[in-house]
Structures are given as structure tokens and as C-alpha cells.
Amino acid sequence: MTSTNATSELHRILGERLEGGGTWAWAYGDVSGNVEDPRRQAALRLRGIEETLRAQGASDAVVDLVAAEFEQEPGVPSPVARYVLVHDDVVVLSEVLPGHLHGPESVGVGAVPDLVPLVAHRPVDLPFLVVHAGKEGGAFRAYRLGHAAVAVEQQVEGRNDTLHYAKAGTGWKQPHWQQHTEEIWKQNQSEVASALDAAVRDLRPGLVVVAGDVTARELLVKSLSNEAKALVSVFPGDPRADTASKQAFVEHVETALARVVATHRHDLEDLLRTHTGRGDNQVVTGIGSVVEALQQAQGATVAVDAQAVGDRTLLALAGAPWVATAPEQAAGTPVIGAVPAVCALVRAAVLTDADLVLVNAASLPGGAPAAALLRWPVGPTVPA
């Protein structure tokens, strides 16, 4: 499984824009349609976004750009959120984010954008496969966590000339046809397994969810490679059976994904505590120390509790070292402005290719609001 998070993608998309100045405008909100009087709720939501943007100084052109994106149908089932980012009158991101809001709604205008919602929805670069197994073959789709679009889709058609057991009877042909039918089922699922194994090798997913006919599911899982089996989570049903089964399947996938993300976060927290316990100078804690690590592009992974950071501000810089706690720490680089500390830390992490993980401060060494796992250790403590 790919072990990085959304910062690499954000750097690729926004890197040059983040490096400079200009004005950013953003909006993050729920656009689910499964509410009472959805048209009225959508109109009220849009009006609130427009009023907030105007109150913070956005031009009519920028307000119209954001509104136009929010007026589009998300195209995926509810619950779903949308995130729109505008830089200097150009829409640079308009993302449909499957699932409930990951934190409070965010609408604003400023020198540095609030990218926390994107990191919250995409905490890990996690491809995953959703498989439907049937006696006639199977199909699977590849997704990426926090992305609405299907990355890969494949249908595997097997033999269907004799897919059902022969009717009850005592003739000598009955056992023969039953065995023949079972062999066709096995052959079909073996073909699905081969295609699925190839997808696992190519996409390196962190999860494979298998659903569908009970017999086909069992045959498919048995036919998979050990590598693919280790990633399998079986849904005990067929989501195509009825609405209740479909909803139960969605919940199963969400739970399985949450478990993978939680494991990733737990592994990082455990690693931070281990290095801290060893005293090997591979970890720093506290906002000031994390800023110093980011200034030197020393942070491999930065862990932040946005709520614990609170209303503190940091200085965003127009060039390396990108962030500072005070003007004298800017090393002569022009200061863009004082911005919310979380936004400044996320921006600096993106610009220095550091992974960023949102955590609870209680899980960090000393309960610090931020910590960083370093690419190389800091120097030894100098005696006073």
C-alpha cells in the first residue's frame, strides 16, 4: 500500500501557486441531498457561503466562481461534501469528497488557504478495491480514499452455460451435472481472482472488499494470492439484493477504510512515542520545534491536532523557509502575512514534501499540539 498522504498530490497541483502570494478563497461544506427539502437547504447553504465570502472581501467574480461549483450536482450518493479553492480569480480545485464532513465547515478569504478539509478526507493515499462476485464471474472497481471518481473498472465474464444445479431427482446424471456446475463456478472465480491479483500488484491497494453471492465469494477468496488475501474484508451479503443490503455494504466499506486509516495513524503515534522514549533526536514536539524542522525541510511526517493548535498564528513566507514564528526567524524572506497556524503548517508541509497526519494531541508525546518525525536527527543537546 502507498504510505503517503494527500500532501504529495497537493504539492503537484498547487505547488507553484502556494509558493507565491495572491489571494485565496475557499469553501468547504456539506452538499448531501438526503435531507428534507433539499433544494431549499442547498439554496440556504449557498447563500451563507456567498455572504461569508463577501464579508471577508471576496469580489463578485470570486463569489460567482465558488457558487457555480457548489450549484453542480455532486454525482455521488449522500453523504457527500464539496471543497472549492480559488486563487487570483481562477478555480484551482473543485473536489467532491465522499462521506460526512470531516470537521467544521470552512469558508474564507486570505493569503494562505485552509487545506485541512482535504487532508482530513484524504489522510492516506489509499487505493482500495470493491469486488462483486457472482457465479457467472465478477467485477471490481478501484477507488482512492476521499476521491469520488472510479480509478479502474473491470468486468470478468465467465462461463454461464450451466450455472445452476440440476433439478432434484434420482437419475444417474444428477451428481455429474452438480459436479460440472461447481467446476464452472470454480473456473469463473479463478479467472476473477487472476484479474484481481493483477490489479493488486499494479495498484498496491490497502484494502479489498469482497461482496456478492456467498458461494462465489468463498471460491474467489480461496483462489486469491496470499498478497491479495491479506487485504480482504468480506461483506456477508450481496449489496445488489435490496436497499438495506446496499446501505449495510456502504457502512461495511466505510468501517473497513476507517480501520486501515486508524492503523496508519496508530503506527505513526507509536513510532513517535518510541523515538521519544529512546531519546534519539528523531522526533520534535511543540509548534516552535515543528516550525524549525519544516524550515530545514527536515520533517518527514508532521502530526497536528488542529483543535489543540487553536487560534494561534504563524507567519507565512513568500519563499523558503516558508513559515516562521517571528519576523527575525524569516531569514530575510518576505512575509506574506500572519495566518492561522494550522494553515501555515499545512502549507509548509506541502511545500517541503512532508506527510501530514491529523491526530488527537492526547496521543502525541507530552500531549503536544504538534510533533514531527524527522528525516535526520537533530543535534545533541548542548549543556548550559
Side-chain angles (χ1 to χ4, degrees):
M1 182 192 78
T2 306
S3 59
T4 58
N5 65 12
T7 52
S8 295
E9 181 181 23
L10 289 174
H11 194 178
R12 176 178 57 80
I13 297 172
L14 301 176
E16 291 185 1
R17 291 181 177 275
L18 280 179
E19 291 175 7
T23 301
W24 298 86
W26 62 89
Y28 167 65
D30 190 299
V31 291
S32 300
N34 58 344
V35 294
E36 185 177 350
D37 196 354
R39 289 188 177 180
R40 180 174 181 275
Q41 292 299 324
L44 290 174
R45 182 192 310 116
L46 186 57
R47 185 187 307 167
I49 290 173
E50 292 173 339
E51 291 175 351
T52 301
L53 289 173
R54 287 195 175 95
Q56 295 191 33
S59 66
D60 288 341
V62 168
V63 172
D64 289 344
L65 285 173
V66 174
E69 297 301 317
F70 268 83
E71 287 172 343
Q72 295 182 27
E73 290 293 327
V76 297
S78 298
V80 60
R82 185 182 285 278
Y83 178 88
V84 177
L85 183 62
V86 176
H87 181 240
D88 288 346
D89 298 347
V90 176
V91 176
V92 293
L93 273 176
S94 181
E95 298 289 321
V96 173
L97 305 171
H100 296 282
L101 288 181
H102 286 36
E105 292 189 348
S106 178
V107 181
V109 177
V112 170
D114 179 7
L115 300 174
V116 172
L118 284 177
V119 178
H121 277 266
R122 299 167 180 173
V124 183
D125 185 9
L126 175 63
F128 64 97
L129 299 173
V130 175
V131 187
H132 186 274
K135 294 187 173 90
E136 72 286 355
F140 61 85
R141 289 179 173 179
Y143 297 89
R144 288 172 63 205
L145 179 64
H147 293 258
V150 178
V152 176
E153 185 171 9
Q154 187 169 346
Q155 179 85 31
V156 181
E157 297 286 352
R159 292 178 58 187
N160 59 7
D161 50 332
T162 312
L163 282 177
H164 304 285
Y165 283 130
K167 296 181 179 179
T170 58
W172 65 268
K173 291 184 178 180
Q174 300 303 315
H176 167 76
W177 284 114
Q178 289 179 6
Q179 182 179 8
H180 178 65
T181 298
E182 291 174 354
E183 286 302 320
I184 290 178
W185 293 348
K186 290 180 182 179
Q187 178 182 328
N188 289 347
Q189 293 314 306
S190 178
E191 292 178 6
V192 176
S194 295
L196 199 54
D197 285 340
V200 168
R201 289 192 299 271
D202 291 342
L203 302 175
R204 308 296 297 169
L207 176 69
V208 177
V209 181
V210 177
D213 175 82
V214 59
T215 302
R217 290 196 317 259
E218 293 174 355
L219 292 172
L220 173 59
V221 173
K222 287 180 180 179
S223 301
L224 290 173
S225 66
N226 290 334
E227 180 184 8
K229 282 180 183 177
L231 304 173
V232 167
S233 174
V234 176
F235 173 68
D238 189 338
R240 300 179 182 180
D242 50 48
T243 302
S245 296
K246 182 178 181 180
Q247 181 58 36
F249 175 69
V250 170
E251 293 173 359
H252 179 94
V253 174
E254 291 177 346
T255 300
L257 287 170
R259 189 177 298 116
V260 175
V261 172
T263 298
H264 173 78
R265 184 179 295 116
H266 178 271
D267 289 346
L268 171 63
E269 294 165 352
D270 189 55
L271 193 58
L272 290 170
R273 289 191 295 267
T274 297
H275 282 294
T276 301
R278 291 174 181 169
D280 57 12
N281 298 320
Q282 285 284 158
V283 167
V284 294
T285 59
I287 293 177
S289 296
V290 170
V291 167
E292 290 181 1
L294 287 169
Q295 286 186 319
Q296 301 172 67
Q298 191 178 8
T301 303
V302 175
V304 177
D305 182 339
Q307 187 172 359
V309 171
D311 296 331
R312 180 170 177 172
T313 62
L314 291 170
L315 299 179
L317 308 181
W322 305 119
V323 63
T325 57
E328 58 269 22
Q329 201 185 33
T333 304
V335 176
I336 293 176
V339 301
V342 171
C343 296
L345 291 172
V346 173
R347 174 178 179 263
V350 171
L351 291 172
T352 57
D353 285 323
D355 281 353
L356 186 74
V357 181
L358 301 179
V359 299
N360 188 313
S363 65
L364 296 180
L373 182 66
L374 306 179
R375 291 186 169 107
W376 63 88
V378 294
T381 302
V382 178

